[in-house]
Amino acid sequence: QVQLVESGGGLVQAGGSLRLSCTASGHTFNIYFVGWFRQAPGKERESVGRISWSGSSTYYDDSVKGRFTISRDNAKNTVYLQINSLKPEDTGIYYCAAKVYGSVIHDYDYWGQGTQVTVSS
């Protein structure tokens, strides 16, 4: 089992920055990669990117390239999502999720509870 807890959300003005955290606990040795997702009000959840648990590789969805940066702190078992130049359309609930080795499902295996990001214009 892996537990994920997101934090760092809040209310910010457009143009500002936020750093979201996703701290993993439990069987973290089994994590393959961690993804970040967001869900805007009234919209489906969408991926923003992911990072290997080793931290050696990252991937970003085209919609966020250049403004979002995913990183990892090995010592803290934490993955970060740095968001710069925030826009009102970045408003939503941000989730992290973990994919584990040997998983037989198409989707991620474990999800956090989410953290709310609200960007005012």
Side-chain angles (χ1 to χ4, degrees), residues 2 24 27 31 41 47 51 86 96 101-102:
V2 173
H27 293 175
I31 296 176
S47 168
I51 186 168
L86 278 156
C96 64
Y101 288 100

Side-chain angles (χ1 to χ4, degrees), residues 4-7 9 20-23 34-41 43-51 68 70 79-81 83 90-98 107-108 110-117:
L4 301 170
V5 178
E6 301 98 333
S7 61
L20 308 182
S21 301
C22 171
T23 300
V34 171
W36 280 99
F37 297 79
R38 65 182 178 183
Q39 186 165 20
K43 296 187 178 181
E44 292 189 353
R45 186 177 63 204
E46 64 172 349
S47 168
V48 299
R50 64 178 182 263
I51 186 168
F68 287 35
I70 300 174
V79 171
Y80 301 100
L81 177 65
I83 312 174
D90 293 321
T91 293
I93 302 174
Y94 284 70
Y95 300 90
C96 64
D107 200 356
Y108 281 71
Y110 301 97
W111 292 83
Q113 83 290 349
T115 186
Q116 175 71 45
V117 172

